[in-house]
Amino acid sequence: MEASFNSSKKMCPSYVGKVGAQLFGVVNKDGKVQFITPLTVTEDFLEQNENLEQRFRFTGKCVEKGCAQWNHEESKCSLSTKVQNLALNQNKELSFCPIRSQCRWFFRMEMKPVFPVMRLQEIWKSCC
């Protein structure tokens, strides 16, 4: 289940849990995300787990205009702006993130931290 993660394409950090997606975080009981080395999601993983987007964080290729979160007028992801504007996002330090170098949100926010240790459960429920 080890991921090959060398694409130059931007990755969506709010991707759905489906075969081929990359699992890169596990939500702890307190709602904080514990990042892991990305793993490729398999059919077996899907069969053995429920409530995927509430329990895990997935990434996959950002589909830009093909996503409901894409702002066509500004040609950018609108969900990243919502996350950045959250009052919860107070941490100015960059925390570890295994997908930062390819992350659509990190790229969009011009190197501002997107994944401080914060409660993301409610905002990660939709995208791509």
Side-chain angles (χ1 to χ4, degrees):
M1 195 162 140
E2 182 95 16
S4 90
F5 208 65
N6 294 326
S7 170
S8 62
K9 285 297 232 175
K10 296 294 176 230
M11 304 297 284
C12 173
S14 186
Y15 207 71
V16 295
K18 64 181 185 180
V19 173
Q22 305 297 306
L23 169 66
F24 76 103
V26 179
V27 180
N28 294 329
K29 290 181 182 180
D30 64 0
K32 294 179 182 176
V33 176
Q34 174 68 46
F35 293 114
I36 63 172
T37 301
L39 302 169
T40 302
V41 175
T42 63
E43 190 67 45
D44 288 340
F45 177 84
L46 296 178
E47 290 172 5
Q48 295 173 20
N49 292 281
E50 297 177 349
N51 304 318
L52 294 175
E53 284 81 18
Q54 294 174 4
R55 298 177 51 217
F56 304 103
R57 295 297 164 252
F58 301 96
T59 189
K61 180 183 167 209
C62 174
V63 296
E64 298 180 353
K65 296 174 185 169
C67 177
Q69 300 297 338
W70 192 255
N71 180 322
H72 294 276
E73 288 180 17
E74 297 180 20
S75 194
K76 66 182 182 183
C77 177
S78 65
L79 193 55
S80 64
T81 303
K82 292 174 189 173
V83 171
Q84 186 179 24
N85 292 335
L86 283 177
L88 295 171
N89 195 354
Q90 299 293 326
N91 189 349
K92 301 298 181 201
E93 297 290 319
L94 285 177
S95 59
F96 169 75
C97 178
I99 67 165
R100 180 173 293 126
S101 66
Q102 297 167 298
C103 179
R104 164 65 61 196
W105 294 4
F106 190 72
F107 176 76
R108 156 70 187 100
M109 293 199 229
E110 300 166 352
M111 311 312 245
K112 294 178 186 169
V114 178
F115 291 118
V117 179
M118 60 188 263
R119 299 178 200 293
L120 292 172
Q121 211 135 346
E122 293 180 24
I123 59 171
W124 289 71
K125 293 182 181 172
S126 64
C127 191
C128 307

